[in-house]
């Protein structure tokens, strides 16, 4: 039991981090709550294993140390969650018993799916906006919140001299779709869902960028100095003050009315322009709320009913396998088309061989699918009763579906890989797509154009790009005079891309942008990197055993070495240039420097390069380990205050 409790705490802490900090949850709310409930039950059975830092003892934490943290005037707690009406009945029984009454008036309102926010007003003016943080302290994001049009900066109506109001910052679904399309056009990573987009937008360090995001604020709670004893009436008063409070809340006098409200909105939520993930039931009387009080992490006077993720039944037609640029083989279930959460679903990921085995998936099984986080379709259950008697188990393939090479599974990894790294078509095209990408060689080639050039035999690896001629390209479909010239010029320009980005462009497994930069700084040339021993590679900052082994494996492949040689002969930068981010001095050796504001003589990117050229490290957040804050025009006041508080030296551009 002790091992399971420890395991659950570790898992839940990681999922909290994914949800609140990275804004990239990988499991549904229901799956998270099931794990949390299991931990609560085990801790109740074993009080001797109590830990004040257990996920059961605290709200989720979205603190970002690059912002200033400030204490909430009133703790900002989570709500107890339930997925069953029986638990709402239990909640009602507890409330009545604690209050010693036979009936209770409840306010039912929508549970917005966004990022929680707390706003403080003094003399009618917005003074402070904090994120939930850990419930006790939150990040001060006032500058960003002030850009949201539905948040009043000044209250014109008669209101208390000081009050706090809480709510949720969301991104409407239609605006989110358009926003994601624009990000994709700019080559930026798309957000998984509106909630992640809203949370990420609030944590930007440039409020001008936040102002361009289509954010909406919904308010739902005044924690103290309420103008009325009725929570429902307080919502109406706050609406008169100018806050955005949808008129969907209702007063319910019985469990039957609560159930009707839940059932109605489980259907009607699809008609809303924004996402909700449940219903919140609150004791309406403020006096009764105060009598009921709080537990360590939740109010006793409120509960959230969470809607189950939308599900649909369909049948698996086949299982196919996709091959990524690094050779990762991913199984995909091809389904009989079914409508789910407003879209027609034809495919669902099966992730890896372990997931197939866990589901006990057979050919042509009937399955239950849902959208994890209402975004990614996945199979959650197999309907065994409908299984065909002679159906065979789905067995993970042993050879690559594209080139026939044997697959291998590396120790400690869930995925299988195609071993044919140099001649497998999807790996070849994937590597070229990575090579030309904006953060790598920045060559203007779309995925469809790469497929076209590959299919006619003009390119088989990245080095072939540098052999393309005007005569070859002008004969191809969709290649006009201007497009040919633009492509050839883009290829020529890529010869000036710094060595660190070239190294990243090679697509060595596990070598990302940061790793490539560290390797370039340490080795200075591709020749030194090729000859480096495992011990020498592992000695490079942030390069561990796994990455070092992958680099050695890459250069043991003769075709990879030939590719590097061809790129070198084509004029691609294969060593650190004098004007690249190579050490020109050790003046700033290991100094951690954060920059903020705008500068007259250099751009921020130029300053970051200067810092790295002289041995310094650019950091994004202030801590006691920061050596300098480089302050420009319009520096964020929160950064300045934090630097002064931690006695971090503040220097100017000069």
């Amino acid at each position: 039991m002790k091992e399971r409790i420890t395991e659950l705490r570790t898992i839940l802490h990681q999922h909290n981090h994914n949800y609140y900090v990275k804004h990239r949850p990988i499991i549904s709310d229901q799956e998270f709550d099931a794990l949390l409930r299991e931990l609560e039950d085990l801790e109740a059975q074993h009080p001797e294993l109590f830990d004040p830092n257990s996920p059961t003892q605290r709200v989720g934490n979205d603190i970002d140390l690059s912002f200033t943290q400030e204490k909430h005037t009133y703790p900002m707690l989570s709500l107890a969650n339930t997925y069953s009406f029986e638990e709402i009945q239990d909640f009602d029984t507890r409330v009545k018993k604690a209050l010693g009454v036979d009936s209770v008036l409840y306010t039912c309102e929508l549970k917005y799916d966004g990022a929680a926010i707390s706003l403080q007003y003094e003399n009618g003016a917005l003074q402070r906006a904090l994120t939930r943080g850990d419930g006790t302290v939150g990040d001060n994001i006032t500058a960003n919140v002030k850009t949201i049009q539905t948040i009043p900066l000044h209250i014109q109506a008669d209101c208390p001299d000081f009050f706090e109001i809480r709510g949720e910052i969301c991104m409407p679904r239609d605006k989110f779709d358009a926003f994601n399309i624009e990000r994709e056009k700019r080559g930026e990573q798309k957000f998984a869902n509106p909630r992640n987009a809203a949370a990420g937008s609030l944590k930007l360090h440039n409020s001008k960028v936040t102002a361009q995001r289509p954010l909406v604020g919904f308010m739902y709670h005044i924690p103290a100095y309420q103008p009325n004893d009725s929570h429902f009436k307080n919502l109406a008063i706050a609406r008169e003050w100018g806050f955005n409070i949808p008129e969907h809340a209702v007063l319910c006098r019985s469990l039957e009315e609560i159930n009707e409200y839940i059932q109605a909105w489980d259907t009607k939520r699809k008609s809303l322009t924004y996402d909700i993930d449940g219903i919140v039931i609150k004791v309406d009387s403020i006096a009764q709320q105060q009598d009921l009080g709080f537990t360590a992490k939740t109010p006793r006077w409120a509960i959230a009913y969470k809607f189950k993720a939308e599900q649909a039944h369909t049948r698996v037609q086949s299982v196919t396998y996709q091959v990524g640029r690094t050779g990762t083989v991913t199984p995909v279930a091809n389904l009989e088309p079914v409508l789910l959460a407003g879209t027609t679903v034809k495919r669902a990921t099966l992730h890896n061989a372990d997931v197939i085995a866990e589901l006990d998936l057979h050919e042509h099984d009937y399955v239950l699918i849902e959208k994890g986080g209402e975004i990614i379709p996945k199979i959650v259950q197999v309907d065994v009763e409908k299984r065909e008697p002679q159906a065979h188990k789905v067995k993970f393939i042993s050879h690559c579906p594209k080139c026939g090479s044997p697959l291998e599974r590396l120790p400690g990894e869930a995925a299988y890989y195609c071993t044919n790294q140099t001649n497998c078509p999807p790996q070849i095209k994937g590597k070229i797509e990575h090579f030309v990408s904006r953060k790598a060689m920045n060559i203007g080639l779309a995925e469809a154009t790469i497929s076209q050039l590959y299919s006619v035999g003009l390119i088989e690896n990245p080095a072939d790009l540098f052999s393309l001629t005007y005569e070859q390209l002008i004969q191809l479909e969709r290649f006009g005079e201007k497009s040919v010239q633009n492509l050839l010029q883009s290829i020529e320009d890529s010869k000036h891309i710094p060595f660190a980005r070239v190294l990243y462009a090679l697509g060595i497994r596990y070598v990302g942008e940061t790793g490539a930069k560290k390797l370039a700084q340490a080795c200075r040339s591709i020749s030194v990197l090729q000859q480096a021993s495992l011990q020498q590679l592992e000695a490079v900052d942030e390069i561990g055993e796994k990455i070092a082994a992958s680099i050695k494996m890459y250069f043991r492949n003769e075709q990879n070495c030939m590719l590097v040689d061809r790129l070198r002969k084509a004029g691609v930068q294969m060593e650190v240039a004098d004007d690249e981010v190579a050490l020109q001095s050790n003046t700033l050796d290991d100094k951690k420097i954060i920059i903020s504001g705008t500068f007259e003589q250099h751009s921020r990117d130029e300053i970051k390069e200067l810092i790295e050229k002289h041995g310094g490290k650019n950091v994004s957040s202030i801590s006691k380990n920061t050596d300098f804050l480089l302050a420009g025009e319009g520096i964020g006041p929160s950064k300045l205050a934090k630097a002064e508080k931690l006695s971090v030296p503040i220097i100017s551009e000069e």
Side-chain angles (χ1 to χ4, degrees):
M1 286 300 178
K2 184 177 180 180
E3 290 179 0
R4 179 57 178 165
I5 287 173
T6 301
E7 180 186 26
L8 284 168
R9 286 171 178 167
T10 302
I11 292 170
L12 288 166
H13 279 311
Q14 183 59 51
H15 285 310
N16 265 329
H17 183 75
N18 292 340
Y19 185 92
Y20 288 104
V21 179
K22 298 174 73 175
H23 311 302
R24 294 179 184 173
I26 60 174
I27 63 173
S28 68
D29 288 353
Q30 192 166 357
E31 290 170 309
F32 178 90
D33 289 337
L35 292 171
L36 185 64
R37 184 158 299 183
E38 181 187 352
L39 179 57
E40 288 173 338
D41 291 343
L42 290 176
E43 288 181 341
Q45 296 168 28
H46 298 274
E48 72 277 7
L49 298 177
F50 174 79
D51 181 353
N53 292 323
S54 170
T56 61
Q57 301 301 311
R58 59 190 300 182
V59 298
N61 190 334
D62 69 353
I63 284 177
D64 183 337
L65 293 177
S66 60
F67 288 89
T68 300
Q69 284 74 54
E70 296 183 19
K71 188 174 182 179
H72 288 293
T73 307
Y74 316 100
M76 199 167 178
L77 304 178
S78 300
L79 288 172
N81 289 334
T82 179
Y83 294 88
S84 74
F85 192 71
E86 288 74 19
E87 292 188 2
I88 294 176
Q89 293 173 316
D90 294 340
F91 165 75
D92 177 59
T93 300
R94 289 196 303 273
V95 166
K96 290 175 180 175
K97 182 178 180 181
L99 294 173
V101 297
D102 295 327
S103 64
V104 176
L105 188 63
Y106 294 103
T107 295
C108 289
E109 52 194 280
L110 307 183
K111 186 177 184 299
Y112 313 107
D113 191 15
I117 196 77
S118 171
L119 310 176
Q120 281 190 355
Y121 287 79
E122 292 183 30
N123 299 318
L126 175 62
Q127 296 297 319
R128 188 178 80 166
L130 299 183
T131 63
R132 182 190 301 279
D134 65 0
T136 302
V137 298
D139 296 328
N140 188 319
I141 55 169
T142 308
N144 287 342
V145 168
K146 283 184 173 181
T147 69
I148 301 171
Q149 297 298 319
T150 51
I151 301 293
L153 300 182
H154 200 280
I155 308 299
Q156 303 298 327
D158 186 24
C159 64
D161 293 339
F162 173 87
F163 72 92
E164 183 172 320
I165 190 166
R166 293 174 175 176
E168 209 90 357
I169 304 300
C170 304
M171 187 176 286
R173 212 177 299 115
D174 56 341
K175 302 287 178 59
F176 166 75
D177 292 337
F179 171 65
N180 248 354
I181 289 171
E182 287 302 313
R183 285 183 68 85
E184 191 171 29
K185 286 179 180 177
R186 295 194 299 267
E188 298 171 350
Q189 184 178 358
K190 295 198 297 182
F191 281 102
N193 52 49
R195 189 263 166 204
N196 290 7
S201 299
L202 290 178
K203 292 298 187 73
L204 294 170
H205 292 284
N206 186 340
S207 60
K208 290 183 179 179
V209 179
T210 304
Q212 298 167 6
R213 303 284 174 89
L215 301 176
V216 177
F218 297 114
M219 298 298 111
Y220 52 64
H221 178 56
I222 300 173
Y225 303 107
Q226 296 91 344
N228 194 280
D229 184 59
S230 164
H231 170 71
F232 184 79
K233 290 181 180 178
N234 286 335
L235 292 178
I237 293 169
R239 192 180 294 116
E240 292 174 0
W241 290 347
F243 290 101
N244 183 33
I245 299 174
E247 298 189 15
H248 299 310
V250 299
L251 285 170
C252 292
R253 292 169 175 79
S254 67
L255 287 169
E256 289 74 17
E257 290 181 2
I258 293 175
N259 192 35
E260 288 174 6
Y261 186 81
I262 289 172
Q263 297 306 318
W265 279 106
D266 198 4
T267 301
K268 288 196 296 183
R269 61 183 167 131
K270 300 181 183 69
S271 64
L272 294 171
T273 58
Y274 49 88
D275 288 338
I276 64 172
D277 58 359
I279 299 298
V280 180
I281 301 116
K282 301 175 183 174
V283 172
D284 184 64
S285 166
I286 303 301
Q288 289 182 336
Q289 288 183 9
Q290 292 170 349
D291 287 343
L292 290 164
F294 303 85
T295 68
K297 57 176 289 191
T298 62
R300 291 190 176 93
W301 44 264
I303 192 169
Y305 177 87
K306 301 288 287 290
F307 295 131
K308 292 179 181 177
E310 289 197 54
Q311 298 180 330
H313 287 272
T314 186
R315 194 182 193 193
V316 175
Q317 294 178 325
S318 63
V319 174
T320 53
Y321 297 84
Q322 298 175 335
V323 183
R325 72 172 179 85
T326 61
T328 307
V329 178
T330 304
V332 176
N334 301 294
L335 310 168
E336 290 182 357
V338 62
L339 190 64
L340 176 62
T343 59
T344 300
V345 175
K346 299 178 181 178
R347 311 176 85 203
T349 180
L350 288 166
H351 298 290
N352 53 54
D354 292 343
V355 170
I356 292 176
E358 188 177 337
L359 287 168
D360 189 29
L361 187 65
H362 285 54
E363 294 173 354
H364 307 302
D365 267 348
Y366 284 89
V367 295
L368 185 68
I369 62 169
E370 69 177 34
K371 286 190 175 180
E374 302 213 356
I375 297 296
I376 305 165
K378 62 178 180 180
I379 294 175
V380 295
Q381 188 177 330
V382 171
D383 191 341
V384 179
E385 292 183 1
K386 289 187 177 181
R387 178 175 290 160
E388 295 175 353
Q390 305 304 318
H392 296 288
K393 270 191 175 186
V394 173
K395 291 184 178 180
F396 204 90
I397 56 177
S398 59
H399 288 73
C400 177
K402 300 298 182 181
C403 70
S405 300
L407 304 183
E408 69 173 359
R409 183 173 183 173
L410 301 179
E413 297 203 15
Y416 278 90
Y417 295 91
C418 170
T419 53
N420 183 13
Q421 294 186 27
T422 51
N423 291 305
C424 180
Q427 289 193 66
I428 292 171
K429 289 188 283 186
K431 284 180 171 63
I432 297 173
E433 288 165 14
H434 173 74
F435 185 84
V436 304
S437 63
R438 184 172 57 86
K439 292 183 178 181
M441 301 299 285
N442 195 27
I443 297 173
L445 265 179
E447 184 178 331
T449 307
I450 291 172
S451 291
Q452 181 185 9
L453 294 173
Y454 177 76
S455 65
V456 297
L458 287 180
I459 56 173
E460 290 186 354
N461 65 50
D464 291 334
L465 293 168
F466 298 89
S467 301
L468 292 173
T469 65
Y470 175 89
E471 289 74 23
Q472 290 174 323
L473 295 172
I474 198 66
Q475 299 178 42
L476 300 178
E477 186 180 352
R478 293 182 296 180
F479 272 90
E481 180 79 24
K482 188 174 182 180
S483 61
V484 170
Q485 290 177 350
N486 287 343
L487 174 56
L488 292 175
Q489 186 60 52
S490 182
I491 293 170
E492 187 63 28
D493 291 344
S494 75
K495 295 178 182 179
H496 303 290
I497 292 292
F499 172 52
R501 283 173 60 183
V502 175
L503 189 53
Y504 170 65
L506 292 178
I508 302 171
R509 188 178 293 170
Y510 311 130
V511 177
E513 289 178 81
T514 301
K517 183 177 289 188
K518 298 286 185 183
L519 289 164
Q521 290 173 346
C523 297
R524 315 259 313 165
S525 75
I526 198 75
S527 299
V528 173
L529 182 65
Q530 283 177 289
Q531 296 166 13
S533 66
L534 273 174
Q535 292 74 20
Q536 289 171 323
L537 291 171
E538 289 176 32
V540 177
D541 185 27
E542 296 187 27
I543 303 300
E545 181 181 346
K546 185 177 179 180
I547 300 176
S550 178
I551 294 168
K552 294 301 294 180
M553 185 181 296
Y554 180 87
F555 287 115
R556 276 199 291 267
N557 186 298
E558 186 179 347
Q559 287 183 279
N560 288 336
C561 293
M562 290 172 60
L563 167 68
V564 168
D565 191 51
R566 286 186 60 197
L567 290 172
R568 183 193 289 111
K569 290 177 179 176
V572 174
Q573 298 296 317
M574 286 297 176
E575 60 185 23
V576 173
D578 292 338
D579 59 349
E580 199 179 331
V581 185
L583 288 184
Q584 294 182 355
S585 78
N586 292 318
T587 307
L588 302 175
D589 194 22
D590 285 332
K591 298 295 183 186
K592 298 178 179 65
I593 302 174
I594 184 169
I595 66 173
S596 182
T598 56
F599 304 91
E600 292 183 4
Q601 299 175 42
H602 303 85
S603 70
R604 289 168 66 98
D605 286 340
E606 287 172 340
I607 288 175
K608 285 183 177 181
E609 280 196 19
L610 280 170
I611 290 170
E612 292 180 349
K613 283 179 180 179
H614 295 275
K617 292 183 178 181
N618 288 290
V619 295
S620 59
S621 60
I622 297 177
S623 72
K624 62 182 180 181
N625 296 319
T626 306
D627 292 292
F628 297 107
L629 166 63
L630 176 57
E633 186 73 24
I635 181 176
S638 62
K639 277 187 179 170
L640 197 59
K642 189 168 185 179
E644 291 170 345
K645 181 180 178 181
L646 296 173
S647 300
V648 173
I650 300 169
I651 57 177
S652 68
E653 183 177 18
E654 289 72 27

